[in-house]
């Protein structure tokens, strides 16, 4: 006859703190790495569509993206603004960017430290696709590629 002894539970201090062996950021925040990358993708995708709408400056992407991504979005936003100014009769086509909302985010990891995300961004008259490649550099996540369809 054998007696089973339950596994010890972590002791908590009067303040309610329980010691964890895993001290990673994911363990401390309670979120997995893919969930954090999904949140980054969501905010960068929303910002990218707002940049193309002219409601946000492209320089706001510089903290999270590579310099060539910021440069491309600066040029693309300038071209869209020029077309908007030259074609006032088509102004309603450019208004769809104003109420963009991220509807869906899908994240996958093709390699360690590298994620690819796809987003569906819904506007008032259509839906757009946004694709990102997010890589870890040192201790920060960086968007290395960003495409808006």
């Amino acid at each position: 006859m054998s007696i089973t002894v339950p596994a010890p539970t972590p002791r908590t201090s009067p303040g309610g703190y329980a010691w964890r062996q895993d001290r990673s950021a994911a363990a401390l925040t309670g979120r997995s790495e893919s969930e954090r990358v999904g949140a980054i993708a969501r905010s960068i995708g929303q910002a990218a569509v707002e940049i193309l709408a002219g409601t946000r400056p492209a320089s706001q992407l510089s903290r999270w993206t590579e310099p060539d991504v910021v440069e491309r979005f600066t040029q693309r936003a300038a071209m869209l603004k020029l077309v908007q100014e030259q074609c006032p009769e088509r102004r309603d086509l450019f208004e769809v960017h104003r109420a963009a909302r991220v509807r869906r985010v899908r994240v996958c990891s093709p390699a360690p430290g590298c994620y690819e995300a796809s987003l569906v961004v819904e506007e008032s008259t259509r839906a757009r696709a946004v694709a990102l490649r997010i890589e870890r550099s040192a201790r920060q996540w960086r968007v290395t590629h960003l495409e808006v369809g």
Side-chain angles (χ1 to χ4, degrees), residues 53 84 90-100 123-125:
Q84 195 173 12
R90 300 183 72 198
R91 186 170 301 271
D92 58 335
L93 292 176
F94 297 101
E95 294 299 319
V96 296
H97 297 291
R98 305 284 184 221
E123 298 168 329
S124 59
T125 60

Side-chain angles (χ1 to χ4, degrees), residues 97-131:
H97 297 291
R98 305 284 184 221
R101 290 181 293 193
V102 177
R103 287 294 185 192
R104 181 170 294 139
V105 178
R106 298 280 191 238
V107 177
C108 69
S109 177
C114 176
Y115 284 86
E116 293 180 349
S118 61
L119 291 79
V120 175
V121 181
E122 187 179 67
E123 298 168 329
S124 59
T125 60
R126 67 178 184 174
R128 299 179 70 127
V130 178

Side-chain angles (χ1 to χ4, degrees), residues 23-25 36 40 64 135-142:
R23 304 291 294 170
S24 67
R36 286 181 297 156
I40 292 168
W64 295 98
E135 297 177 1
R136 183 187 296 274
S137 62
R139 300 188 75 196
Q140 181 182 0
W141 292 101
R142 304 272 310 167

